[in-house]
């Protein structure tokens, strides 16, 4: 049997950013060549934050279009919506009974909310049980690898804990899947503020499919070397977000090398570096941006792809679920 990979992407905003691309999507697209791949839109997970029907529907379609435009091949890969496969919440409900509350209380997403001043009154139970649903998402398909960005590593560890507990309680059932991370720089791409990881909730993003004017604005307002006041001051390249992005997306390596050398010597202004970054960005994403516009005209095709993916995913998921049901005595 081919080695299997699986990952999910939460449709919690209407636009993918560079961090999502380098931390997750790029890997996913590459892995489908080598492995049997299952990728799904984690719409049940999005319910933790999106409570507006129209918004959720738009986000789901948008993320499907983004993935297909960026190269997901529905002929090879099983691409589906989580909510089309009821085995996900079914297994999660079973697993809940093996999960100590303390494990969930240590989850970053929950702790971050508490640290930001939220309370058990404002945090919903969906967010609290998020790692259990994610565990079910993964275990149903028995993948060897789960390709994710660094921020998901704790969820993968929780998933492994729960799987081991299940095996211990009911007998060997699950092989423990492993996280698969991209390079360090990609696994936690720095945001345009030059400080935090790129994240839509912070707004320090460069969006992949936004209009040109928006992207230009995002790039031109990017932080650079905070200690450099004049273009004639020698600048720092390492960790400088504009150069991190140049390294990742500018295919003209000679240009990047020259820009870095001039920057270090104080012979180039931020504006030129950013303008070149903007051009490199538009070149890098030219094809996906065009493909996405075309796909947008053909939304029915996208819906068909997801429906056929759900049929295939359900078959695999159902097998595991039946096995679990037998094990636990339901
Ligand atoms: P956000 O932080 O913008 O809300 P999500 O939590 O929806 O993004 O993440 C979707 C996927 O993209 C996850 O696999 C996550 O690990 C990855 N990801 C998000 N931000 C980054 C980043 N700055 N660097 C690398 N990967 C990221
Ligand atoms: N929690 C992941 C994120 O925020 C999305 C996700 C849901 C996922 N279920 C998954 C990722 C299963 C990998 C495997 O990005």
């Amino acid at each position: 049997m081919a080695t299997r990979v699986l990952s999910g992407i939460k449709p919690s905003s209407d636009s993918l950013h560079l961090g999502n691309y380098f931390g997750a999507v790029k890997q996913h697209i590459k892995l489908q060549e080598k492995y049997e791949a299952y990728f799904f839109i984690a719409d049940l997970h999005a319910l933790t934050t999106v409570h507006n029907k129209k918004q959720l529907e738009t986000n789901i379609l948008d993320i499907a279009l983004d993935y297909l435009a960026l190269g997901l091949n529905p002929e090879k890969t099983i691409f589906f919506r989580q909510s089309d496969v009821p085995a996900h919440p079914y297994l999660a409900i079973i697993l809940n009974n093996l999960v100590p509350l303390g494990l969930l209380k240590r989850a970053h997403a929950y702790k971050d909310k508490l640290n930001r001043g939220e309370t058990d009154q404002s945090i919903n139970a969906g967010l609290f049980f998020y790692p259990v649903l994610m565990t079910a998402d993964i275990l149903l398909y028995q993948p060897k690898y789960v390709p994710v960005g660094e921020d998901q590593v704790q969820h993968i560890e929780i998933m492994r804990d729960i799987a081991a507990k299940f095996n211990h309680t009911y007998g060997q059932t699950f092989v423990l899947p492993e996280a698969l991370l991209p390079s360090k720089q990609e696994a936690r791409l720095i945001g345009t503020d030059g400080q935090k990881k790129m994240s839509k909730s912070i707004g320090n993003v460069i969006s992949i499919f936004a209009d040109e004017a928006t992207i230009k604005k995002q790039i031109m307002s990017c932080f650079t070397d905070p200690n450099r006041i004049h273009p004639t001051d020698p600048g720092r390249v390492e960790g400088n977000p504009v150069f991190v992005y140049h390294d990742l997306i500018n295919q003209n390596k000679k240009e990047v090398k020259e820009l870095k050398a001039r920057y270090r010597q104080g012979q180039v202004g931020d504006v030129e570096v950013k303008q070149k970054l903007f051009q490199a960005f538009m070149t890098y994403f030219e094809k996906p941006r065009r493909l996405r516009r075309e796909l947008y005209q053909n939304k029915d095709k996208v819906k068909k792809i997801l429906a056929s993916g759900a049929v295939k995913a359900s078959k695999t998921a159902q097998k595991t679920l039946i096995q679990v049901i037998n094990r636990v005595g339901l």
Side-chain angles (χ1 to χ4, degrees):
M1 208 180 69
T3 304
R4 192 174 282 169
V5 295
L6 167 133
S7 197
I9 186 117
K10 204 170 31 154
S12 50
S13 83
D14 56 3
S15 180
L16 283 183
H17 56 70
L18 265 193
N20 300 139
Y21 179 70
F22 284 108
V25 191
K26 183 178 161 227
Q27 275 214 96
H28 297 168
I29 306 297
K30 207 167 120 201
L31 290 167
Q32 68 180 349
E33 300 305 325
K34 206 168 138 199
Y35 298 107
E36 182 194 10
Y38 283 73
F39 295 126
F40 66 93
I41 300 174
D43 52 356
L44 289 171
H45 276 119
L47 285 177
T48 56
T49 51
V50 186
H51 293 164
N52 176 298
K53 172 183 155 78
K54 269 245 130 354
Q55 185 67 56
L56 186 60
E57 287 170 348
T58 309
N59 290 357
I60 292 168
L61 178 68
D62 275 331
I63 207 108
L65 288 168
D66 291 353
Y67 255 76
L68 291 165
L70 286 165
L72 184 135
N73 178 355
E75 307 283 320
K76 279 188 107 148
T77 293
I78 298 176
F79 187 41
F80 64 102
R81 281 168 63 141
Q82 181 188 34
S83 62
D84 282 336
V85 185
H88 291 235
Y90 196 132
L91 179 58
I93 290 287
I94 294 176
L95 296 176
N96 264 335
N97 303 291
L98 296 175
V99 184
L101 284 184
L103 183 67
L104 300 180
K105 285 187 181 161
R106 289 194 293 276
H108 294 319
Y110 173 68
K111 274 180 29 189
D112 284 354
K113 290 238 174 207
L114 289 177
N115 287 340
R116 274 187 260 134
E118 293 220 33
T119 65
D120 282 351
Q121 287 309 309
S122 63
I123 299 172
N124 65 54
L127 181 99
F128 190 66
F129 290 105
Y130 188 111
V132 187
L133 180 56
M134 184 158 160
T135 299
D137 295 340
I138 299 169
L139 294 181
L140 280 174
Y141 300 90
Q142 287 291 279
K144 180 160 173 54
Y145 299 118
V146 185
V148 283
E150 197 182 78
D151 57 358
Q152 295 299 314
V153 168
Q154 191 198 30
H155 284 147
I156 302 296
E157 282 162 5
I158 294 176
M159 176 273 297
R160 287 168 61 90
D161 276 1
I162 298 175
K165 182 91 182 275
F166 189 96
N167 287 343
H168 183 73
T169 311
Y170 294 109
Q172 178 61 36
T173 309
F174 299 116
V175 176
L176 272 41
E178 293 162 37
L180 192 66
L181 292 171
S183 73
K184 220 176 162 50
Q185 207 164 51
E186 291 177 295
R188 191 184 181 282
L189 189 71
I190 189 153
T192 53
D193 56 356
Q195 291 182 14
K196 303 217 169 76
K197 76 152 200 160
M198 188 176 285
S199 174
K200 62 184 163 269
S201 55
I202 302 174
N204 56 356
V205 302
I206 303 178
S207 313
I208 297 173
F209 294 108
D211 57 83
E212 277 197 42
T214 304
I215 293 168
K216 190 159 215 172
K217 205 166 143 203
Q218 290 170 336
I219 290 179
M220 297 315 282
S221 58
C222 187
F223 277 67
T224 54
D225 176 353
N227 298 321
R228 188 172 184 251
I229 315 285
H230 308 289
T232 47
D233 295 342
R236 191 175 49 84
V237 162
E238 289 69 29
N240 184 331
V242 280
F243 285 103
V244 172
Y245 307 149
H246 261 295
D247 276 337
L248 290 171
I249 59 179
N250 194 338
Q251 304 299 304
N252 185 346
K253 298 299 166 209
K254 194 166 152 244
E255 176 175 276
V256 178
K257 208 171 151 201
E258 277 167 16
L259 277 177
K260 282 183 180 172
R262 285 169 60 206
Y263 198 83
R264 287 197 177 99
Q265 289 158 18
Q267 288 172 0
V268 63
D270 280 359
V271 172
E272 185 184 335
V273 178
K274 291 177 182 175
Q275 275 166 346
K276 294 223 158 83
L277 180 63
F278 174 70
Q279 282 154 8
F281 183 96
M282 286 323 224
T283 307
Y284 192 92
F285 289 111
E286 195 269 328
K287 190 170 161 214
R289 287 171 59 84
R290 179 168 39 81
L291 263 177
R292 196 184 188 287
R293 284 193 294 272
E294 286 165 21
L295 276 167
Y296 189 75
Q297 302 304 324
N298 200 353
K299 288 182 222 150
D300 279 349
K301 187 174 158 195
V302 177
K303 289 191 178 146
K304 278 193 195 133
I305 289 172
L306 291 174
S308 118
V311 173
K312 293 180 197 152
S314 293
K315 273 196 195 139
T316 309
Q318 200 59 25
K319 264 195 212 152
T320 312
L321 184 62
I322 288 172
Q323 209 185 348
V324 167
I325 284 174
N326 286 334
R327 288 266 150 120
V328 300
L330 287 170

